[in-house]
Amino acid sequence: MKLYNTLTKKQEVLKPIQPPQVTMYNCGPTVYQFPHIGNWRSFLIADLLRRSLDYLGYQTKQVMNITDVGHLTSDADSGQDKIELEAEKEKKSAQEIAEFYFQAFLEDGRQLNVQMPHVIPRASEHIAEMIKLIQRLEKKGYTYQTSDGIYFDTSKFKQYGRLSGQKPEQKKAGARIELSIEKKNPTDFALWKFSPKNIQRQQEWFSPWGTGFPGWHIECSVLSQKYLGQPFDIHTGGVDHIGVHHENEIAQSEAAYNKPLANYWVHVEFLQLKKIKMAKSSGGVITIKDLIEKGYNPLAYRLFVFSAHYQSKQSFSWSAMDQAQRNLNKIYQTANRLRDCSHQTKNKSKLDLATYRRNFKKHLQNNLDTPQMMATLFNLLTEVNQLIDKKKLNRSEAQKALKTLLEWDQVLGIKIEETINRARSLPREVQKLIQEREKKRRAKKWKEADQLRQKIQKLGYKIEDTDQGTKARLI
Ligand code: AMP
Ligand code: ZN
């Protein structure tokens, strides 16, 4: 498997530390609102990566943190805590907010058929470990105290900036980092923040330095080390994390333990809406619930995401979403046709499945080249549909092609098998309507029969009258 490694700025062949195991850490959601489909682009690529590694015979161990404390509205360690702010707005406790949006995140994940990470630790449940790590850094001389917290002195960590390739001086120019008067360097960041004197925080803990809460970055250093060890194999996140969050994770972990944090850093580009990054702050976010309410199958969003390479910016549009839904329907339809293909002949068609299979795997191993994987899939669909139309595909070939689709679905995660099984056992309602329609047809009541056909179609099934009687298949 080749992956683009942000750390070395080139594609590299994955060499796991302890094959066949691959250890992977994904920066997870901050649970203070419904995740939007841009967030889901990043998590779906993490899911795709895990599925791909498992498909290639590795055993992936995946950890994703849940940020339920300490993520401030500004990357510069200022502003309000996002969760506490939302709690104020919704008149709920911070804990209720975190729990509610964590459950919403899990529900979206189920709708999108995301394999849940093996461990999903919450930041708030690991405060003691975070304090220990900060103490370790303090002992090694990497920290200093200001009036509002304990900070990491980035000038003491010589490799600071290696991931983004930016020198600390260059970062100074970056508009996002406001220089707090007490910070020694603009890139220094909070490890522990003190509770403000005049405001009672809902989430705060005692620490050797004073009551407060952890900085955002420290949780990832603690959780990855605790559940995967250090170094681990692959670290993922959105490209917005490269310059600050991941740089800081590396500084903390590597300064504390004198070894690399992770060997491969994989970053997902942004999903854009009208040429700007989809984000709550820029307005116009779309959620998975919105897609479902508009009548899309959420699994079509997986196909939408796979239509672009993860390292390219991707623009969301409803017409592209329509196309993704049509593509999903086509996959399901073809899978059903392959299942039903009963053409008996010893003559083989020219279908070269082995080449399709080789190509799909080759593209997958080539830094998750999803557009090419999808092209291979749709070329196969077109070819088998043509062969079925011409009655040139025999049953055994059809079964093999279907098996290939099901195998690929281990990577794509669009529930092809479930759809076929669903079509096999028609819902009672559909069965009843089909029987009624048969009766009408026998009585030559064509108009009524046609109305029943339309009813069946509304339920998502298409009727076909064949030599062996009426058949229904999922649209
Ligand atoms: P957050 O909950 O803000 O920490 O974000 C969760 C994940 O979504 C992070 O890995 C972000 O980098 C990623 N993310 C945020 N906005 C977008 C976007 N518009 N497109 C793709 N990924 C995003
Ligand atoms: Zn992180």
Side-chain angles (χ1 to χ4, degrees):
M1 173 73 135
K2 267 193 303 180
L3 287 171
Y4 181 83
N5 188 353
T6 310
L7 194 61
T8 55
K9 299 181 186 44
K10 54 180 191 242
Q11 275 194 25
E12 287 177 285
V13 175
L14 174 72
K15 293 195 186 112
I17 298 161
Q18 273 188 307
Q21 194 186 61
V22 175
T23 42
M24 171 160 82
Y25 184 88
N26 320 116
C27 286
T30 306
V31 281
Y32 71 111
Q33 57 182 234
F34 291 106
H36 55 70
I37 59 173
N39 300 133
W40 276 113
R41 183 183 187 202
S42 157
F43 302 137
L44 281 173
I45 295 298
D47 182 58
L48 173 77
L49 183 51
R50 165 175 166 185
R51 286 168 172 275
S52 300
L53 292 167
D54 289 344
Y55 176 78
L56 295 172
Y58 294 110
Q59 287 153 15
T60 317
K61 182 168 182 200
Q62 187 190 10
V63 176
M64 182 186 281
N65 64 307
I66 299 296
T67 303
D68 58 355
V69 64
H71 195 168
L72 303 185
T73 48
S74 154
D75 268 355
D77 298 313
S78 57
Q80 265 182 287
D81 183 312
K82 290 184 178 183
I83 292 174
E84 298 225 338
L85 189 64
E86 188 63 28
E88 248 170 59
K89 262 196 224 155
E90 294 192 28
K91 306 216 174 339
K92 286 185 184 152
S93 71
Q95 221 175 354
E96 281 169 338
I97 291 293
E99 187 55 31
F100 177 82
Y101 288 107
F102 175 46
Q103 292 305 327
F105 169 77
L106 293 180
E107 176 54 22
D108 274 5
R110 276 190 288 274
Q111 296 280 3
L112 290 166
N113 196 26
V114 166
Q115 293 187 331
M116 276 301 127
H118 301 95
V119 194
I120 315 180
R122 297 172 202 221
S124 66
E125 289 171 2
H126 296 80
I127 304 293
E129 283 113 318
M130 295 189 214
I131 292 175
K132 267 201 195 127
L133 181 58
I134 301 168
Q135 282 178 313
R136 193 182 170 101
L137 290 169
E138 188 177 40
K139 268 200 203 117
K140 292 182 102 178
Y142 284 101
T143 66
Y144 62 92
Q145 183 161 347
T146 72
S147 59
D148 76 347
I150 304 295
Y151 280 76
F152 186 99
D153 185 345
T154 51
S155 68
K156 298 250 167 80
F157 183 68
K158 293 293 164 245
Q159 302 93 311
Y160 194 84
R162 200 154 63 101
L163 187 67
S164 61
Q166 273 182 304
K167 301 234 154 48
E169 312 82 79
Q170 284 172 301
K171 288 215 166 150
K172 213 183 283 184
R176 264 150 55 94
I177 296 176
E178 304 146 28
L179 187 55
S180 126
I181 314 160
E182 292 179 80
K183 268 203 222 178
K184 293 187 182 169
N185 310 286
T187 46
D188 293 355
F189 56 91
L191 295 163
W192 187 263
K193 292 269 289 185
F194 300 136
S195 293
K197 292 207 172 59
N198 44 355
I199 305 166
Q200 170 72 47
R201 274 182 61 90
Q202 292 190 37
Q203 290 179 298
E204 57 181 17
W205 293 266
F206 292 114
S207 84
W209 313 280
T211 301
F213 58 102
W216 171 38
H217 319 292
I218 196 80
E219 69 183 72
C220 289
S221 288
V222 162
L223 298 172
S224 58
Q225 203 262 359
K226 174 165 181 181
Y227 295 104
L228 297 174
Q230 187 177 327
F232 58 91
D233 292 309
I234 306 174
H235 195 311
T236 78
V239 287
D240 52 340
H241 288 343
I242 299 174
V244 178
H245 181 54
H246 287 168
E247 209 77 89
N248 295 351
E249 279 185 33
I250 290 175
Q252 295 163 156
S253 296
E254 301 194 359
Y257 298 105
N258 295 328
K259 43 188 180 181
L261 173 58
N263 291 338
Y264 302 87
W265 289 80
V266 173
H267 288 103
V268 181
E269 252 296 353
F270 288 140
L271 179 77
Q272 298 184 319
L273 196 60
K274 298 191 181 118
K275 301 224 164 101
I276 38 176
K277 173 194 170 189
M278 185 176 286
K280 204 178 180 195
S281 52
S282 50
V285 295
I286 297 165
T287 63
I288 298 302
K289 213 163 137 235
D290 293 334
L291 298 184
I292 295 170
E293 274 166 13
K294 280 189 182 277
Y296 295 101
N297 183 333
L299 300 177
Y301 185 64
R302 295 184 76 99
L303 295 187
F304 169 83
V305 167
F306 300 156
S307 68
H309 190 261
Y310 76 89
Q311 287 184 277
S312 312
K313 291 192 174 60
Q314 184 176 25
S315 292
F316 182 82
S317 71
W318 292 108
S319 62
M321 195 58 212
D322 287 341
Q323 183 58 48
Q325 180 67 59
R326 281 196 294 275
N327 288 346
L328 185 69
N329 294 349
K330 184 168 176 186
I331 297 170
Y332 289 166
Q333 271 163 15
T334 311
N336 281 311
R337 288 192 86 189
L338 288 170
R339 186 205 65 188
D340 293 342
C341 176
S342 54
H343 189 53
Q344 303 283 1
T345 164
K346 292 233 158 57
N347 297 340
K348 281 209 167 165
S349 69
K350 289 205 181 95
L351 181 67
D352 182 3
L353 259 185
T355 300
Y356 281 112
R357 293 165 66 92
R358 211 177 316 116
N359 284 342
F360 185 87
K361 192 169 163 185
K362 182 182 79 187
H363 297 313
L364 178 146
Q365 288 175 306
N366 182 24
N367 191 24
L368 295 176
D369 192 348
T370 51
Q372 287 302 323
M373 285 156 65
M374 298 311 285
T376 306
L377 167 67
F378 282 96
N379 287 341
L380 174 63
L381 298 189
T382 305
E383 185 171 356
V384 296
N385 274 314
Q386 281 168 358
L387 290 169
I388 295 173
D389 290 345
K390 292 185 199 151
K391 291 210 171 10
K392 279 194 176 161
L393 197 70
N394 71 34
R395 184 166 170 73
S396 121
E397 285 178 302
Q399 292 301 320
K400 281 188 193 136
L402 180 57
K403 206 170 143 236
T404 297
L405 290 187
L406 294 176
E407 262 178 48
W408 291 352
D409 197 26
Q410 291 168 26
V411 173
L412 304 174
I414 49 174
K415 296 192 177 176
I416 299 176
E417 184 153 30
E418 218 170 89
T419 314
I420 300 171
N421 291 336
R422 199 146 40 99
R424 190 173 281 153
S425 53
L426 293 172
R428 271 253 183 89
E429 209 179 343
V430 176
Q431 286 178 21
K432 252 174 76 188
L433 289 170
I434 291 175
Q435 282 167 7
E436 270 179 52
R437 181 173 169 272
E438 294 270 85
K439 266 193 223 157
K440 301 286 179 203
R441 276 164 57 85
R442 274 195 300 261
K444 300 204 186 321
K445 293 185 173 165
W446 306 117
K447 205 171 156 196
E448 288 166 46
D450 201 46
Q451 279 167 353
L452 285 164
R453 185 182 56 75
Q454 284 171 19
K455 254 192 180 173
I456 295 167
Q457 207 154 320
K458 272 225 171 105
L459 293 170
Y461 291 82
K462 195 174 166 201
I463 289 281
E464 272 176 26
D465 297 306
T466 70
D467 305 345
Q468 294 117 28
T470 302
K471 281 191 177 169
R473 75 158 68 107
L474 264 177
I475 295 174

